Amino acid sequence: MRVVISVLAFCALAACSPKLPDGVDQQALDDAVANAVGSPSTCVVVESNDGKTVYRYGSHTTCARSLPACDAPGLTTIDVQLDAARKGISRAASCDTAEEASRGVAWASGPLPALEGKPDRKMVYAVFMEGADALSGREAKRRLEAAFAKTGF
């Protein structure tokens, strides 16, 4: 049992953690994302086109939530949005999550914009913010993409 726990702890702290591309500073990226769209109920995931997680902002519990899709009936998840982004579908949507309009959700996703010197980068992202101060989907998309560019991601 100790061996299993040790392997899981190592995996969580090292080899199994998301790996950022060379030259991208984890703390600078976390700070830029926090300043752009951060809150306790924000989830940002960046994946390579083969589905490997490269970056995550937000806890696994937060990122596992199902929330209103806003531009389609029913609920959606960050994983559904990442799948669509890998197919080239970009989106920015927002809507209320409470009947009395006291809370909302913003969704944004798509391919990571190309950066100068990195034209072959093939990654996708998805973000949601949910809460009383959630931005619009368009504003979340604009701010997050600016944060990525600011940090060279």
Side-chain angles (χ1 to χ4, degrees), residues 20-21 24 29 46 54-55 112 115 121 123 148-149 151-153:
L20 288 170
V24 177
L29 181 58
V46 178
V54 175
Y55 175 74
L112 226 55
L115 291 175
R121 175 175 65 175
M123 290 187 238
F148 289 150
T151 58
F153 191 40

Side-chain angles (χ1 to χ4, degrees), residues 33-92:
V33 169
N35 289 331
V37 296
S39 78
S41 59
T42 295
C43 175
V44 176
V45 178
V46 178
E47 290 185 347
S48 56
N49 268 354
D50 63 1
K52 292 182 181 167
T53 300
V54 175
Y55 175 74
R56 177 185 305 275
Y57 176 92
S59 71
H60 287 282
T61 302
T62 298
C63 291
R65 295 178 68 193
S66 296
L67 294 163
C70 300
D71 56 0
L75 302 175
T76 190
T77 66
I78 203 86
D79 291 330
V80 169
Q81 298 310 308
L82 288 164
D83 287 341
R86 276 193 292 281
K87 296 173 186 165
I89 300 169
S90 293
R91 73 186 297 245

Side-chain angles (χ1 to χ4, degrees), residues 75-144:
L75 302 175
T76 190
T77 66
I78 203 86
D79 291 330
V80 169
Q81 298 310 308
L82 288 164
D83 287 341
R86 276 193 292 281
K87 296 173 186 165
I89 300 169
S90 293
R91 73 186 297 245
S94 47
C95 61
D96 294 331
T97 57
E99 283 187 34
E100 72 281 357
S102 62
R103 299 177 68 84
V105 63
W107 287 99
S109 59
L112 226 55
L115 291 175
E116 192 171 319
K118 299 179 184 181
D120 60 341
R121 175 175 65 175
K122 302 287 188 217
M123 290 187 238
V124 297
Y125 76 93
V127 57
F128 72 74
M129 311 177 62
E130 194 276 334
D133 297 323
L135 301 170
S136 72
R138 291 172 70 162
E139 185 64 13
K141 184 176 190 68
R142 186 190 70 73
R143 288 185 186 193
L144 186 59

